[in-house]
Amino acid sequence: MLTDSKAFSGFSVNDISKAKEFYGKILGLKIYDDTQMPGILHLEITGGNAIVIYPKPNHVPATFTILNFPVKDVEQTVDELTARGVKFIVYNEENFKTNEKGIFTAGGPVIAWFSDPAGNILSIIEEKS
């Protein structure tokens, strides 16, 4: 029934102009305005359909990771994004800790989490060689 459907994902933000600046300029991703629905953004990612970013006045940030970006070197990417003003989340829970840069290395993939201006959680995750 939906086998041939070109599914896409979307998420809300509370300020579309801040989202456009963050995703387009700070993260360096391809982002464009929807020509048929003003105020809607499309985030273009490699190998997939665009992701829709839409404004929502009563936006509540997701409590889970909404986007994961595979990278070759998490530490290098953390350093580059930190230099651009991105703040990584440092976890210091009893059974879940990251280092001072916000990088998790205690089993499983190397990963670091950060938030967009609307508080949605994103991650960079190290690709396996």
Side-chain angles (χ1 to χ4, degrees):
M1 183 164 140
L2 298 176
T3 305
D4 296 325
S5 176
K6 294 194 183 226
F8 64 93
S9 183
F11 59 89
S12 70
V13 296
N14 56 355
D15 187 322
I16 209 77
S17 61
K18 284 183 181 177
K20 190 172 189 177
E21 171 81 14
F22 180 77
Y23 287 96
K25 294 193 176 162
I26 294 175
L27 298 186
L29 300 169
K30 293 179 186 174
I31 194 158
Y32 56 93
D33 295 303
D34 189 303
T35 56
Q36 296 177 358
M37 294 183 289
I40 304 291
L41 298 175
H42 290 260
L43 178 62
E44 202 171 287
I45 56 171
T46 301
N49 292 336
I51 296 169
V52 175
I53 303 174
Y54 57 93
K56 186 175 178 190
N58 58 347
H59 166 77
V60 175
T63 58
F64 53 87
T65 308
I66 63 164
L67 285 174
N68 297 285
F69 295 97
V71 297
K72 293 192 183 310
D73 186 326
V74 165
E75 185 158 2
Q76 178 183 343
T77 305
V78 164
D79 291 343
E80 290 171 6
L81 290 174
T82 299
R84 292 178 174 210
V86 174
K87 300 213 182 323
F88 284 82
I89 302 167
V90 175
Y91 292 101
N92 191 19
E93 298 170 18
E94 185 177 333
N95 296 315
F96 190 77
K97 296 180 189 303
T98 59
N99 66 17
E100 67 282 348
K101 290 184 177 183
I103 302 171
F104 179 78
T105 60
V110 176
I111 187 167
W113 293 269
F114 59 102
S115 298
D116 72 3
N120 294 313
I121 301 169
L122 314 168
S123 85
I124 54 173
I125 185 168
E126 201 155 286
E127 296 176 307
K128 291 184 180 182
S129 304

